């Protein structure tokens, strides 16, 4: 019977938590000899999102890059430009709406404070 040591080493390292340091080192050494690396494959990124153009032409930003999609064709430069502009414009609109909402709340609070001040002044007959 032949035992694949690389598979054994990877499986043991992933599932056995009660190994001694010496055992862990030995398994790591076996994995390296078999070409198993601990670093995940792919591009290292801070964050990622998926940009989708629907068949109706709507541009969507999806935070879950594992979302299943079916595409009709590969993206081209026009798709990149158009979707980029849409995303930037939408982000600006969202930020503007947020700032406007904050300003309205501040103005409402200031008006309420002014009404309390006016009521106090009138009650003191100043």
């Amino acid at each position: 019977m032949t035992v694949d040591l690389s598979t054994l080493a990877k499986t043991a390292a992933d599932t056995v938590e009660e190994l001694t340091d010496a055992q862990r080192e030995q398994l790591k050494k076996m994995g390296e000899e078999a070409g198993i690396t601990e670093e995940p494959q792919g591009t290292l990124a801070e964050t990622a999102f998926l940009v989708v153009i629907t068949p109706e032409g709507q541009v969507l930003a999806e935070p879950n890059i594992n979302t299943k999609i079916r595409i009709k064709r590969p993206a081209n430069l026009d798709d990149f430009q158009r979707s980029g502009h849409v995303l930037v414009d939408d982000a600006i609109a969202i930020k503007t709406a947020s700032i406007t909402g904050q300003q309205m709340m501040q103005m409402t609070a200031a008006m309420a404070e002014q009404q309390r001040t006016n009521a106090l002044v009138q009650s003191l007959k100043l």
Side-chain angles (χ1 to χ4, degrees):
M1 180 173 135
T2 304
V3 177
D4 182 357
L5 292 180
S6 64
T7 303
L8 177 63
K10 184 161 179 54
T11 304
D14 287 343
T15 58
V16 179
E17 294 179 343
E18 297 178 3
L19 296 175
T20 65
D21 289 339
Q23 289 171 321
R24 289 182 193 282
E25 191 60 37
Q26 181 62 34
L27 284 173
K28 183 178 178 183
K29 210 187 263 187
M30 290 168 60
E32 288 170 356
E33 289 171 2
I36 299 172
T37 61
E38 291 184 18
E39 292 184 28
Q41 300 297 319
T43 302
L44 180 62
E46 183 72 27
T47 186
F49 58 93
L50 181 65
V51 177
V52 178
I53 301 175
T54 67
E56 296 79 28
Q58 185 178 13
V59 176
L60 305 174
E62 172 62 48
N64 180 4
I65 62 171
N66 295 318
T67 298
K68 294 189 185 283
I69 58 170
R70 295 183 324 227
I71 60 170
K72 290 184 176 181
R73 61 176 176 77
N76 59 41
L77 183 58
D78 289 339
D79 296 325
F80 282 99
Q81 289 177 322
R82 187 172 133 246
S83 61
H85 285 295
V86 168
L87 292 177
V88 169
D89 290 347
D90 285 356
I92 291 170
I94 290 168
K95 192 170 189 173
T96 301
S98 174
I99 290 169
T100 302
Q102 290 173 356
Q103 289 174 340
M104 289 176 69
M105 287 192 301
Q106 289 172 348
M107 188 177 296
T108 301
M111 288 172 54
E113 182 64 30
Q114 183 64 42
Q115 286 177 344
R116 283 193 292 272
T117 302
N118 289 343
L120 179 62
V121 168
Q122 286 180 356
S123 70
L124 297 174
K125 301 191 189 234
L126 297 176

